[in-house]
Amino acid sequence: MGEKRAHASESESDSESDKQLTHTDNESNRQLTHTDSEEDGSDNDSMGSNEIVNVDFEFFDPQPIDFHAMKRMFEGSFGDDSDQFNTSALVDLILSQPSIGSTVKMDDDSDPYAFMTALSTRRDSEPIKQVCEYLVRKAGPKAQTLSELLDKHHVGLLFSERVINMPPQVVVPMLRMLMTELEKEDGFDFEYFVLVCSMYSEVPADDGAKACEMDVFVHAEEEFIEEFAHITFDF
């Protein structure tokens, strides 16, 4: 069963969360290589038992050519709720600030397999207002706390989306680059970040058998980010 969990985390904790996610990378910060190895099931004498596929991913600024792929990732992440705000206008906002955030692609002309960016809740924009109102409606008992946080503080809506088979190793350089870009640009001095996470929750079987309760993050790294959350709520 799919569900969402929203985190509101103080930006002061970014350095701590980055420590949890940081890995050592001696190569360029703008390129990542992913290797797939799979059994081909054929006779070892006639063909090799392993097929190695090397795929080079590169990091790019958000570009207009990415519009449809980014919109699909948004709609896939929010599911039926995606019709509660204008996802096209939301993607347009992301593309209007190309110096903030990044996409992961095989080349400049291909569709992105992942993207990460942040939008300011102080931006005078209808889709930003729609997202904030949507989150407050979903916050349940935390609605007042979240509403006050959005009203009294500069909050960044953090979006981190990727296709399901994209290796999570891309998250660390994307997060590191995003934090650097936010520090350099004016108007992005966020006090808090809000992140919506997709989750799976186990439900009881039809035969009445007792199932152990377990929530699983679709993006594993978000479990570490939750440790630094000021408030969390499920919906």
Side-chain angles (χ1 to χ4, degrees):
M1 176 178 168
E3 64 177 46
K4 304 290 182 189
R5 178 168 296 174
H7 303 319
S9 305
E10 288 187 81
S11 62
E12 294 178 340
S13 300
D14 292 339
S15 58
E16 293 297 323
S17 61
D18 192 47
K19 292 176 185 176
Q20 295 288 334
L21 296 171
T22 299
H23 72 295
T24 301
D25 185 1
N26 295 323
E27 306 229 5
S28 168
N29 198 33
R30 303 294 293 182
Q31 186 166 349
L32 182 145
T33 300
H34 176 54
T35 302
D36 282 333
S37 176
E38 69 178 75
E39 294 287 337
D40 63 5
S42 61
D43 189 285
N44 289 341
D45 293 334
S46 59
M47 297 180 66
S49 60
N50 292 319
E51 181 182 352
I52 305 298
V53 179
N54 291 315
V55 181
D56 289 336
F57 296 108
E58 297 186 41
F59 299 90
F60 295 87
D61 293 332
Q63 305 171 62
I65 196 175
D66 305 327
F67 176 88
H68 293 290
M70 293 173 71
K71 183 181 178 182
R72 285 195 299 270
M73 280 188 268
F74 263 130
E75 292 176 344
S77 176
F78 284 95
D80 294 338
D81 285 351
S82 62
D83 62 2
Q84 298 192 37
F85 41 85
N86 191 333
T87 53
S88 294
L90 204 58
V91 175
D92 282 336
L93 282 180
I94 294 172
L95 297 178
S96 73
Q97 50 176 49
S99 61
I100 300 297
S102 56
T103 62
V104 179
K105 305 194 288 186
M106 293 181 65
D107 56 62
D108 192 46
D109 296 325
S110 65
D111 284 343
Y113 295 96
F115 73 88
M116 182 182 292
T117 192
L119 293 172
S120 172
T121 54
R122 289 183 176 174
R123 193 163 179 171
D124 185 15
S125 168
E126 185 61 26
I128 294 291
K129 181 181 178 181
Q130 290 174 344
V131 173
C132 291
E133 290 176 346
Y134 165 81
L135 292 173
V136 171
R137 287 198 303 271
K138 295 292 187 178
K142 305 287 183 66
Q144 183 175 350
T145 302
L146 178 61
S147 182
E148 291 176 354
L149 186 149
L150 292 170
D151 289 340
K152 298 179 180 180
H153 299 275
H154 193 187
V155 179
L157 299 176
L158 180 61
F159 297 105
S160 178
E161 303 291 344
R162 63 179 185 269
V163 297
I164 195 167
N165 59 342
M166 190 68 189
Q169 287 84 351
V170 301
V171 174
V172 176
M174 292 177 78
L175 183 59
R176 186 183 295 123
M177 287 186 288
L178 178 61
M179 294 300 109
T180 300
E181 291 162 349
L182 294 177
E183 290 175 359
K184 291 180 179 179
E185 296 288 336
D186 294 331
F188 294 94
D189 52 339
F190 299 132
E191 299 170 78
Y192 290 84
F193 289 98
V194 172
L195 173 65
V196 177
C197 310
S198 296
M199 302 184 68
Y200 293 115
S201 181
E202 188 172 354
V203 297
D206 292 337
D207 60 6
K210 186 177 180 180
C212 64
E213 296 183 3
M214 181 181 298
D215 292 332
V216 180
F217 287 89
V218 174
H219 297 163
E221 69 277 1
E222 291 167 351
E223 183 176 355
F224 297 97
I225 295 175
E226 184 181 26
E227 297 179 19
F228 305 95
H230 180 65
I231 62 171
T232 65
F233 56 90
D234 296 348
F235 58 95

